[in-house]
């Protein structure tokens, strides 16, 4: 049996996650940014009810201060489950992981929200690899007990704020023929530079991102700038047609991939707890190659011209458009009718 397998959402549904919880015999460790899906809450509560030791770490609030896990926390605690805030050493804990019986671990891009199971392109790698599972457990215990976690130079997994930027930059540098990247945001200049260099040495780079109007105002300049720089060197930039992109996935040469929670932003690399995994398993790579092809077919090019950006941003009433210094003359004049 392969050490690793993959879930691709919404195609595969969340049933495999529920099934893994249902099979737990001794322990479940959960670290989650957002947790609200009723079926997953029910499964976790049922596991505790049959005697499984369950510990849950939940991110306490978004950067805006919005708290979204309080109701889930209440339900879990009422069921006798020990729940803690994630490690306050980090601005946010964006990691989405689960370990069952210290034998199998899930490394995910998806939150445990119903929409991430049914409406968004998301991924989860299921690993039985002993060293990978142990590493996730060690980090869980460190964060649970507010201790520093250092996986070392021989880390099996990709961690922020440890080796994340280095591992992803090296992954891009080692691409020889093709590179397919899905990520919500492209804002980290080191990673953008690496993607530009890959394209410059002849690698066919295809990027899928969320449209500019989804960016927060304070990230608009770097977010749009990153996309336009890549487009200027011939990198194709697309957005999905029928699904929201939430997954974070890199696929190189159809032989290796990275899946996890890491957005390609300075904040994710330097200030958040994030987790990703590199995989080479043929069955996993085959499925990712198939989904990359299908998603590209079911996408369209993002219009990053001044006119395209103005139409997108003004249609969605995004603040801060003036900071992009776009040519307002490119925006078609609206017709005004006399009353």
């Amino acid at each position: 049996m392969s050490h690793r397998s993959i879930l691709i959402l919404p195609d595969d549904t969340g049933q495999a996650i529920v099934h893994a919880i249902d099979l737990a015999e001794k322990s479940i460790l959960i670290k989650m940014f957002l947790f609200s899906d009723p079926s997953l809450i029910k499964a976790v509560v049922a596991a505790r009810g049959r005697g499984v030791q369950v510990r849950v770490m939940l991110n306490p609030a978004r950067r805006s201060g919005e708290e979204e896990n309080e109701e889930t926390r209440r339900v879990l605690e009422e069921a006798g489950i020990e729940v803690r805030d994630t490690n306050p050493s980090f601005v946010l804990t964006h990691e989405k992981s689960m370990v069952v019986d210290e034998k199998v671990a899930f490394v995910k891009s998806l939150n445990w929200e119903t929409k991430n199971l049914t409406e968004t392109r998301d991924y989860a790698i299921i690993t039985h690899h002993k060293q990978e599972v142990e590493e996730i457990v060690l980090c869980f215990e460190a964060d649970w007990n507010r201790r520093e976690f250092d996986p070392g130079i021989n880390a099996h997994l990709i961690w922020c704020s440890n080796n994340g930027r280095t591992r992803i930059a090296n992954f891009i540098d080692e691409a020889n023929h093709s590179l397919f990247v899905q990520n919500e945001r492209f804002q980290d200049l080191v990673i953008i530079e690496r993607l530009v260099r890959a394209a410059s040495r002849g690698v066919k780079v295809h990027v899928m991102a969320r449209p500019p109007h989804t960016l927060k105002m304070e990230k608009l300049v770097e977010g749009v700038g990153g996309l336009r720089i890549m487009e200027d060197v011939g990198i194709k930039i697309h957005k999905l047609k029928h699904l929201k992109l939430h997954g974070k996935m890199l696929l190189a040469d159809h032989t290796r991939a990275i899946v996890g929670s890491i957005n390609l932003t300075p904040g994710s690399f330097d200030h958040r707890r994030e987790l990703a995994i590199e995989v080479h398993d043929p069955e996993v790579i085959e499925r990712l190659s198939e989904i990359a092809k299908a998603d590209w077919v079911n996408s369209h090019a993002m219009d990053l011209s001044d006119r395209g950006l103005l139409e997108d941003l003004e249609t969605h009433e995004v603040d801060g458009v003036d900071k992009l210094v776009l040519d307002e003359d490119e925006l078609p004049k609206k017709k005004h009718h006399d009353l």
Side-chain angles (χ1 to χ4, degrees), residues 92-112:
L92 290 176
T93 287
H94 197 236
E95 174 186 345
K96 305 100 161 47
S97 66
M98 177 177 73
V99 179
V100 176
D101 294 335
E102 297 194 9
K103 293 180 179 178
V104 57
F106 287 66
V107 178
K108 304 182 289 292
S109 68
L110 66 138
N111 293 299
W112 279 9

Side-chain angles (χ1 to χ4, degrees), residues 84-285:
R84 291 187 184 178
D85 287 346
T86 48
N87 192 337
S89 297
F90 299 94
V91 174
L92 290 176
T93 287
H94 197 236
E95 174 186 345
K96 305 100 161 47
S97 66
M98 177 177 73
V99 179
V100 176
D101 294 335
E102 297 194 9
K103 293 180 179 178
V104 57
F106 287 66
V107 178
K108 304 182 289 292
S109 68
L110 66 138
N111 293 299
W112 279 9
E113 291 192 294
T114 303
K115 69 179 182 180
N116 286 146
L117 299 170
T118 59
E119 299 176 15
T120 61
R121 170 63 72 227
D122 263 303
Y123 303 94
I125 296 293
I126 306 167
T127 177
H128 293 80
H129 193 288
K130 186 174 184 292
Q131 288 85 354
E132 292 169 352
V133 175
E134 287 177 351
E135 207 166 276
I136 297 172
V137 172
L138 286 172
C139 182
F140 185 96
E141 296 294 350
D143 283 349
W144 185 266
N145 294 295
R146 303 333 193 205
R147 297 194 306 261
E148 184 180 354
F149 170 70
D150 183 358
I153 59 173
N154 296 315
H156 293 272
L157 299 170
I158 303 169
W159 296 98
C160 297
S161 54
N162 299 89
N163 60 5
R165 183 183 282 110
T166 300
R167 286 284 299 272
I168 291 178
N170 290 342
F171 180 92
I172 295 168
D173 289 347
E174 292 165 5
N176 294 313
H177 307 293
S178 65
L179 193 59
F180 177 84
V181 186
Q182 283 185 329
N183 205 281
E184 289 183 89
R185 298 189 290 279
F186 292 77
Q187 296 165 7
D188 189 78
L189 289 178
V190 171
I191 300 304
I192 291 168
E193 176 197 30
R194 288 316 209 279
L195 291 169
V196 167
R197 287 186 177 188
S200 298
R201 66 175 184 268
V203 177
K204 293 182 178 179
V205 182
H206 292 71
V207 162
M208 299 196 76
R210 295 281 296 275
H213 72 259
T214 63
L215 293 166
K216 292 182 173 63
M217 183 179 69
E218 65 270 19
K219 300 297 182 182
L220 191 61
V221 171
E222 59 192 271
V224 169
L227 294 175
R228 295 183 99 179
I229 287 168
M230 291 190 290
E231 185 183 57
D232 284 346
V233 298
I235 294 174
K236 298 180 184 299
I237 315 289
H238 277 215
K239 58 182 177 180
L240 275 169
K241 285 182 182 177
H242 306 300
L243 285 174
K244 293 180 180 179
L245 176 61
H246 184 259
K248 301 92 172 65
M249 187 267 280
L250 298 90
L251 174 66
D253 301 327
H254 298 285
T255 58
R256 55 199 177 90
I258 289 176
V259 168
S261 68
I262 305 171
N263 285 310
L264 302 178
T265 69
S268 290
F269 287 125
D270 298 326
H271 305 296
R272 298 184 177 191
R273 169 68 79 211
E274 304 271 13
L275 171 61
I277 184 171
E278 182 172 341
V279 294
H280 301 249
D281 309 64
E283 298 86 354
V284 173
I285 298 301

